[in-house]
Amino acid sequence: MGEIGNFLPFIAMFAVVYFFMIAPQMKRAKQEKAFAASLKRGDKVVTKSGMHGKIVDLNDKDNSCVIETLAGKIKFERSALSMEISKKLNAPAKTK
């Protein structure tokens, strides 16, 4: 019992780190992957660097998309798109 008691604080620290850091990060990664897979032509998106545009073409081979902006068409990786801002942009407007 004494040997297990010595390792109990380490086990508790690992459990805390897992539930507060690792599990939420894995959940967020799944959400980002589902968002990237659900993109379709015509969706309005915002990149993580802040560029706004509309998806013109999706390429599944290299996991990229072509976004049309006011400056022209630009090719981005799907992982460069911001999930939070893009979802807010495409959400229906709330009326009071």
Side-chain angles (χ1 to χ4, degrees):
M1 181 74 182
E3 291 179 20
I4 295 175
N6 291 338
F7 289 110
L8 195 57
F10 294 112
I11 294 170
M13 277 192 332
F14 178 75
V16 167
V17 167
Y18 179 79
F19 286 112
F20 286 109
M21 295 179 74
I22 298 171
Q25 188 175 12
M26 288 172 33
K27 181 180 175 184
R28 179 164 173 80
K30 284 182 185 178
Q31 289 174 342
E32 290 268 352
K33 191 173 184 178
F35 169 74
S38 69
L39 291 173
K40 58 189 179 299
R41 288 184 180 152
D43 283 350
K44 293 180 181 177
V45 293
V46 179
T47 64
K48 291 180 181 177
S49 62
M51 187 171 294
H52 293 246
K54 184 171 63 171
I55 295 179
V56 177
D57 189 26
L58 295 167
N59 189 347
D60 290 331
K61 291 180 184 175
D62 62 353
N63 207 20
S64 66
C65 61
V66 177
I67 298 175
E68 183 177 21
T69 65
L70 292 176
K73 295 180 182 178
I74 305 172
K75 186 175 183 178
F76 281 99
E77 292 290 322
R78 289 188 192 185
S79 61
L81 301 177
S82 174
M83 179 178 68
E84 296 88 15
I85 301 173
S86 296
K87 282 186 176 180
K88 288 180 185 176
L89 187 66
N90 287 320
K94 295 181 181 178
T95 58
K96 289 186 178 182

